[in-house]
Amino acid sequence: MMKNIIFVLLLFKSLFCTIILAKNVLLIVADDGGFETQVYGNPVCKTPHLDKLASKSTIFKNAFTSVSSCSPSRSSILTGLPQHQNGMYGLHQDIHHFNSFDEVKSLSKLMKMKNIYSGIIGKKHVGPENVYPFDFAYTEETNSINQVGRNITKIKDLVHEFFSTLNHSQPFFLYVAFHDPHRCGHTNPEYGEFCEKFGNGEEGMGIIPDWKPEHYKPEDVIVPYFIPDTPTARADIAAQYTTLSRLDQGIGLVLKELKEFNHDNDTLVIYTSDNGIPFPSGRTNLYDPGMAEPFLMHLPQQTYSQVSEEMVSLLDIVPTILEWFNVKYPDYKLNGMPVQLSGKSLLQSTSLKKSEAVFASHNLHEVTMYYPIRVVRTNSYKLIHNLNFKMPFPIDQDFFISPTFQDLLNRTVEKKETHWYKNLTDYYYRPEWELFDLEKDSNERYNVVNNAAYHSIRTTLQKMLLDWQISTNDPWICSPSGVLENKGRFKENPTCLPLYNGV
Ligand SMILES: *[C@@H]1O[C@H](CO)[C@@H](O)[C@H](O)[C@H]1NC(C)=O
Ligand SMILES: *[C@@H]1O[C@H](CO)[C@@H](O)[C@H](O)[C@H]1NC(C)=O
Ligand SMILES: *[C@@H]1O[C@H](CO)[C@@H](O)[C@H](O)[C@H]1NC(C)=O
Ligand SMILES: *[C@@H]1O[C@H](CO)[C@@H](O)[C@H](O)[C@H]1NC(C)=O
Ligand SMILES: *[C@@H]1O[C@H](CO)[C@@H](O)[C@H](O)[C@H]1NC(C)=O
Ligand SMILES: [Ca+2]
C-alpha cells in the first residue's frame, strides 16, 4: 500500500513536470447507474469494459453524489456547487423548468475562457445555455435522447467526430453523458422498462450495430437489500442489467476512439453516475442506495489499479479538473455572497489532505416533489435532516409506474408479504433527524438519533452540517423551525428567528 502511494506521488510529480501529459479530460457519466459491475462486487452483471478501465484506475469505494436527482446532480457535477447554491433545485426539462443562476461559473464556461475545447455528447439536462456552453454539443436539446444517450453506435460516431474536429494544439474536455441505464417504462414503454429492447434487432426495435445485448434470468440476478425480493423486482433488475451491458459496451467504444486518436496517454478519465438506481431508497433518497456512486479515475499511462477508501464527493470533480488544467477558480459572488468550492481536488487523494465527511442537499426532483433534505456522511456515521418531515415522502412518475413499486403497492394494499426491508408507512413518514451508525448498521435500519450514547456524535455532526450549509449559502439554513432574516436591519447580522411551530 505504502509503496503504491509513493509510486503515485512520484507519478503525479512527473505528470505535472511534463505538461503535455496532463492535457485532456474525458468525463463519463451514467444515468442512474449503480454498483452492478464486477469491480464493485457484482459477479452476475457483465461489464468487461468498466472492469478493464477499473484495472488501471483508482477505484473509490466511498464516493457519493451531493444530490440524488438528475438535473440537480448534473448541475453540481458541472459547477462544483450543491443544488441549493447553484439554483438547480429540481429537474430542468418540461414543466419542472429549473435552472442554475445566470452568474454561475460552470466548468464548461471556465474551459471556454481558457480556450479548452469542450464537448458534450448525450444527456445535458441543465441550463440555462449561457451557464453551460459547449463548443461541440449533441444532446437531447437538438436530438433524440435515445440516439445520443443510448445508441452506442451513434455515440461512437459522435466521439469520432469530436476528435476529428479537435484542433490538436488545443486541450479538450469531453463529457459523455449516457442515458443508460435509466428507466424508460414511463416515456417509451414499447422498448421495455429500461429501454433494454431499444436497438436489439428484434422486430420494431431497430438495430444498434455495435451492441451485443446480454440477457439475464430473473432467478440469477443479485437483489440488493433495499429491493423487495419478488419475481417482479427480479425481472426489473434483469432488464436493468441488459441495459447496463449497452452502457458498458458504449464505454468500451468511447475509450477505443480515445486510443485511436492517440489520446489515451494524455487524458484523465473519470467514470461515475449522477444518482442512485431507480429503486426504493435509491434515486431521490439520500440513504446510501441513493447517494453512493461508482467512481473510477484513470491517470494517463496508469497501468495498475488501486482502491481508495477516502470520502469522495461528486462536488470534487470540478476542483480535480481545474487542478488538472491548472485553472484557478474565479473570485465572484452569487446572490451577494462570495462563492467558494466546498470540494477538493482528487489529484491529491493519495497525499495528506483527506476529507472526513461528504455532504448532500436535496430540494425537489419533479416540481411537485418538495422534500428538502440535508445530510452529512462520514466513514462511520450518517446524519440526515428531513426538513419537510411532516409530509409524506414524494414519489416520482418514473419510479411510481415501475413494476417494482407497483408490486410493492399492490402487496401492501392486499396485505401480502412484501419481502421488503421497510414498510410503506415508514418509507413515507420519516423523522426530522435520522442518525445511522454505519459500522454496525450499514443498511441504515436503526435510527439512533435519540440514543443517549450517540449524543456527542449527533452534536458534532449537526455542527458540521450547519457549517457546510453556512459556507455554501444555503437559504434553507433556518428550516423548519425558523425564518432566516438577512436584509434590512438584519443585513449585517443574519439571524434565524423562531416560528414557535412546535418543531
Ligand atoms: C488551432 O489553434 C491554434 C492556436 O489557438 C491556431 O493558431 C490555429 O490556427 C488553429 N488551427 C485550426 C485549424 O483551427
Ligand atoms: C443507431 O445509430 C446508427 C448510426 O447512426 C443507425 O444506423 C441505427 O439505425 C441507430 N439505431 C437505432 C435503434 O436507432
Ligand atoms: C502517446 O502515444 C502516441 C501514439 O502511441 C505517441 O505518438 C505519443 O508520443 C504519445 N504521447 C505521449 C505524451 O507519450
Ligand atoms: C398491481 O395491481 C393491479 C390491479 O390489480 C394490476 O393491474 C397490476 O398488474 C399489478 N401490478 C403488479 C406489478 O403486480
Ligand atoms: C412499519 O414498520 C414499523 C417498524 O419499523 C412498525 O412499527 C410499524 O407498525 C409498521 N407499519 C405498518 C403499517 O406495518
Ligand atoms: Ca439520473
Side-chain angles (χ1 to χ4, degrees), residues 183-222:
R183 285 186 181 278
C184 95
H186 171 53
T187 51
N188 294 84
E190 67 276 19
Y191 294 133
E193 292 304 327
F194 282 84
C195 265
E196 71 278 7
K197 296 179 187 154
F198 171 68
N200 72 359
E202 286 171 19
E203 197 185 335
M205 296 297 128
I207 183 128
I208 299 175
D210 288 285
W211 181 36
K212 289 168 209 67
E214 296 279 355
H215 297 286
Y216 298 88
K217 293 200 201 92
E219 59 267 33
D220 292 340
V221 304
I222 294 172

Side-chain angles (χ1 to χ4, degrees), residues 31-32 70 274-275:
D31 198 355
D32 300 6
C70 238
D274 61 344
N275 52 251

Side-chain angles (χ1 to χ4, degrees), residues 29-33 68-71 73-74 91 123 125 178-179 182 273-276 283 365:
V29 176
D31 198 355
D32 300 6
S68 197
S69 169
C70 238
S71 303
S73 177
R74 283 155 199 272
L91 298 178
K123 182 165 175 173
H125 216 197
F178 286 88
H179 190 29
H182 195 282
S273 168
D274 61 344
N275 52 251
R283 190 183 65 196
H365 179 67

Side-chain angles (χ1 to χ4, degrees), residues 21 262 265 301:
L21 278 180
N262 289 328
N265 57 7
Q301 296 168 338

Side-chain angles (χ1 to χ4, degrees), residues 243-494:
T243 296
L244 273 154
S245 75
R246 190 167 56 212
L247 168 72
D248 182 70
Q249 291 170 34
I251 289 171
L253 295 171
V254 172
L255 294 175
K256 192 158 168 254
E257 290 298 323
L258 187 74
K259 193 171 165 66
E260 278 172 12
F261 281 89
N262 289 328
H263 284 302
D264 62 326
N265 57 7
D266 59 13
T267 302
L268 173 74
V269 180
I270 294 175
Y271 166 75
T272 188
S273 168
D274 61 344
N275 52 251
I277 63 175
F279 284 92
S281 295
R283 190 183 65 196
T284 75
N285 286 270
L286 291 172
Y287 299 120
D288 272 8
M291 191 172 157
E293 301 300 343
F295 196 112
L296 306 175
M297 187 171 82
H298 165 75
L299 298 170
Q301 296 168 338
Q302 180 176 350
T303 54
Y304 57 92
S305 85
Q306 62 163 22
V307 170
S308 168
E309 302 286 343
E310 193 191 347
M311 299 299 290
V312 162
S313 167
L314 301 195
L315 293 173
D316 299 338
I317 291 175
V318 165
T320 303
I321 294 178
L322 292 182
E323 181 178 351
W324 184 256
F325 284 122
N326 199 16
V327 172
K328 199 175 155 289
Y329 193 68
D331 281 329
Y332 71 107
K333 287 185 174 179
L334 265 181
N335 298 315
M337 304 295 283
V339 182
Q340 279 169 346
L341 296 175
S342 64
K344 70 213 173 275
S345 169
L346 301 177
L347 299 182
Q348 298 161 358
S349 67
T350 40
S351 73
L352 302 172
K353 197 176 154 220
K354 296 246 187 239
S355 299
E356 49 180 326
V358 294
F359 299 88
S361 158
H362 177 96
N363 280 359
L364 297 106
H365 179 67
E366 292 167 4
V367 67
T368 52
M369 293 172 60
Y370 183 62
Y371 199 86
I373 317 173
R374 299 294 180 267
V375 171
V376 54
R377 192 198 190 284
T378 67
N379 243 312
S380 313
Y381 299 100
K382 182 190 275 180
L383 181 76
I384 300 179
H385 192 190
N386 296 305
L387 306 182
N388 227 25
F389 67 103
K390 299 256 182 184
M391 293 291 287
F393 182 78
I395 305 293
D396 62 276
Q397 296 177 320
D398 180 55
F399 174 56
F400 177 82
I401 208 95
S402 71
T404 298
F405 193 64
Q406 286 296 309
D407 186 38
L408 189 53
L409 287 178
N410 284 2
R411 285 170 182 270
T412 302
V413 170
E414 291 163 11
K415 299 203 168 18
K416 286 193 191 145
E417 175 60 61
T418 62
H419 303 285
W420 194 34
Y421 78 137
K422 289 183 178 174
N423 59 45
L424 274 182
T425 312
D426 280 357
Y427 192 67
Y428 287 144
Y429 294 96
R430 305 177 179 190
E432 181 181 2
W433 293 97
E434 297 176 89
L435 175 62
F436 300 108
D437 180 342
L438 301 170
E439 275 166 23
K440 292 185 186 146
D441 176 28
S442 60
N443 296 358
E444 301 167 302
R445 297 290 308 275
Y446 306 102
N447 182 9
V448 295
V449 78
N450 294 319
N451 182 330
Y454 291 90
H455 181 78
S456 81
I457 302 272
R458 171 189 174 150
T459 313
T460 305
L461 292 173
Q462 281 176 324
K463 165 96 171 53
M464 286 167 77
L465 185 55
L466 190 65
D467 286 348
W468 182 70
Q469 290 184 264
I470 292 171
S471 71
T472 56
N473 304 322
D474 188 354
W476 278 258
I477 193 92
C478 305
S479 300
S481 60
V483 165
L484 172 65
E485 291 296 346
N486 58 3
K487 297 201 167 64
R489 60 204 161 93
F490 295 97
K491 192 162 188 271
E492 298 310 319
N493 188 22

